[in-house]
Amino acid sequence: MNLIRLYARVLGQLGTDLRLGGVLAIANVALAIAAFAEPILFGRIIDRLAQGQATGGTPVTFPSLMPLILAWIGFGLFTILAGVTVALHADKLSHRRRLATMANYFEHVLELPLAFHTATHSGRVLKVMLEGSNGMAWLWLGFFRDHFAALVALGLLLPLTVFLNWRLGLLLVLLVIIFTVLTAIVLRKTETLQGRVEGYHSSLAEHASDALGNVPVIQSFTRAKAEATALQGIIHQLLQAQNPVLSWWALASVATRASATVTVTSIFLVGTWLHLRGLATIGEIVTFMSIATMLIGRLEQAVQFINQLFMQAPKMREFFDILDTAPAVHDRPNAKNVDRLAGAVAFESVSFSYDGKRPAVQDVSFAVRPGETVALVGATGSGKSTTLGLLHRAFDPQSGLIRIDGHDIRDICLSSLRRNIGVVFQEPMLFARSIRENLQVGSPEASDEEMIQALERAQAIEFITRQSEGLDTVIGERGRSLSGGERQRLSIARALLKNPPILILDEATSALDAATERKLQLALEEVMKGRTTFVIAHRLATIRNADRILVFDHGRIIETGSFDELVAKGGRFAELAKAQFMTGEGPPPRSDVRAVDVVMA
């Protein structure tokens, strides 16, 4: 994406303010014309005065100069008032669109597939959002306040000076062309270098975010000095890459200032030489010197604009790269909005691969009746979580169908599908907000009474009552002010508050102590009645009462049946049950120790 296309796309982000942008652009054209008219009128006034002083010239009276003077003053006042008005509206437009663009980006990122978030550091995503939107805001502001008028003056009005005096006009055009070529050389020299600089900026954001998100680990392993040193190393690399860019642009800045002196001096000397030969009037010399001074200011604005556009370009390219990332899962054109599903689930020859090479789920088929509890067991990476991720459309299968109540889930609106499915993840995933706000994620309209009831059913009410602010207690980033078991119980209460017909429990009790787990298991069994429930578990004690168990291996279902049926088969599940001392063949666990957790390799 070259700079012109990139700039055009930035302007395209004006959205609903595009019409106001067009009005401001027209106002900038008027301002550029008015700015050119002032020195021309001033030159005409000087010529009239000079003619009046010439031998035998017609005496000049003040009334005879009034039309020119009033026009000159009028253009000057117009330039001032219109400039203030344009600047004011440009400021408002810029800030409004910056926030709107940031909000659109944020919403877009939240809809991107989990694969994107797995591969992209959250620190980089946040940095791109902030710097990209700020960069565009600067470009909108500069474009409508200064830069468009400068571009009009340089691109359209500068050639018209040839009609005032073609000799002086050509000199002015030539000087501007030389300066433009020098600026283009600087751009070419620094384009690749600035891309490297932005790469280091992204690394800096990622490293800092990563460290700040793991402060307990850093302090526990006394890594503060090492992390700070690593950050300083990135900063050193960034400066090494940035300094050459800054040097080139410093040279361009010096050239801009030098061009002011060269241009004004050249116009004066050439104009004087032409005047002595009767080829230019004094008024024309004054006009061209004023125009040259104004154009130098416009050139400085243009160079500053190009410099900033060049500096911001890598940030905005990153912004648009993420904005162009298409969500892997989206609503079909005629997707249906359903109220509440009964919960009959069927997988029909479903296959899915993350990388297109190794299947994560392969030819999976099963059917679940409404209200049935189905457990999924198997080794880590066997396809359990992927299978249930497909159910709530974290991603779509490459082949096969998933139906709920006979409907292909891709024909159901994403929002209504996910509204009918509650998920309790292995990691609680809480927000750095109050307990109330975390619960409202499950049901925004829930009353305090409903929240308390959900907390009681999740065995969480005890630790909530210990909080000084109760439901309004802020629990810190990722719920760090709570223990692991407390965070998990709160996430379970959040899912219960949602009251979905389909419930997914992904190792929901893994972070709980034995006593709390037994209490919660009883509560979950009560809650699971009347709901279609899927349970992913490594501890088989938590799924003993499941209606059916699906045993996964390398993305396939290799065994299915009830707990007792699978143990009697003597297959893979029986081996796992034996390893966890649940078949009566191994020594029972001591009463004061939890059943052994065996994670199959």
PDB file of all heavy atoms in Angstrom, residues 86 219 327 452 499:
ATOM      1  N   VAL A  86     -12.685  26.737   9.790  1.00  0.00           N
ATOM      2  CA  VAL A  86     -12.231  25.445   9.285  1.00  0.00           C
ATOM      3  C   VAL A  86     -11.448  24.693  10.353  1.00  0.00           C
ATOM      4  O   VAL A  86     -11.644  23.487  10.560  1.00  0.00           O
ATOM      5  CB  VAL A  86     -11.368  25.640   8.018  1.00  0.00           C
ATOM      6  CG1 VAL A  86     -10.645  24.347   7.652  1.00  0.00           C
ATOM      7  CG2 VAL A  86     -12.240  26.086   6.844  1.00  0.00           C
ATOM      8  N   GLN A 219       8.495 -11.167  39.949  1.00  0.00           N
ATOM      9  CA  GLN A 219       8.952 -10.923  41.314  1.00  0.00           C
ATOM     10  C   GLN A 219       9.382 -12.210  41.994  1.00  0.00           C
ATOM     11  O   GLN A 219      10.384 -12.246  42.712  1.00  0.00           O
ATOM     12  CB  GLN A 219       7.851 -10.223  42.110  1.00  0.00           C
ATOM     13  CG  GLN A 219       7.567  -8.813  41.621  1.00  0.00           C
ATOM     14  CD  GLN A 219       6.461  -8.134  42.399  1.00  0.00           C
ATOM     15  OE1 GLN A 219       5.748  -8.782  43.179  1.00  0.00           O
ATOM     16  NE2 GLN A 219       6.304  -6.835  42.217  1.00  0.00           N
ATOM     17  N   PRO A 327     -13.130 -11.967   9.846  1.00  0.00           N
ATOM     18  CA  PRO A 327     -13.545 -12.957  10.846  1.00  0.00           C
ATOM     19  C   PRO A 327     -13.796 -14.304  10.180  1.00  0.00           C
ATOM     20  O   PRO A 327     -14.424 -14.385   9.118  1.00  0.00           O
ATOM     21  CB  PRO A 327     -14.850 -12.369  11.410  1.00  0.00           C
ATOM     22  CG  PRO A 327     -14.774 -10.908  11.104  1.00  0.00           C
ATOM     23  CD  PRO A 327     -14.022 -10.803   9.813  1.00  0.00           C
ATOM     24  N   ILE A 452     -27.207 -13.087  43.545  1.00  0.00           N
ATOM     25  CA  ILE A 452     -26.955 -13.776  44.813  1.00  0.00           C
ATOM     26  C   ILE A 452     -27.342 -15.250  44.699  1.00  0.00           C
ATOM     27  O   ILE A 452     -26.623 -16.145  45.175  1.00  0.00           O
ATOM     28  CB  ILE A 452     -27.724 -13.105  45.959  1.00  0.00           C
ATOM     29  CG1 ILE A 452     -27.210 -11.675  46.193  1.00  0.00           C
ATOM     30  CG2 ILE A 452     -27.618 -13.926  47.240  1.00  0.00           C
ATOM     31  CD1 ILE A 452     -25.769 -11.606  46.610  1.00  0.00           C
ATOM     32  N   ASN A 499     -28.266 -18.807  32.277  1.00  0.00           N
ATOM     33  CA  ASN A 499     -29.373 -19.765  32.198  1.00  0.00           C
ATOM     34  C   ASN A 499     -29.565 -20.306  30.785  1.00  0.00           C
ATOM     35  O   ASN A 499     -30.649 -20.241  30.199  1.00  0.00           O
ATOM     36  CB  ASN A 499     -30.678 -19.105  32.679  1.00  0.00           C
ATOM     37  CG  ASN A 499     -31.788 -20.129  32.850  1.00  0.00           C
ATOM     38  OD1 ASN A 499     -31.536 -21.305  33.121  1.00  0.00           O
ATOM     39  ND2 ASN A 499     -33.021 -19.685  32.682  1.00  0.00           N
TER      40      ASN A 499
END
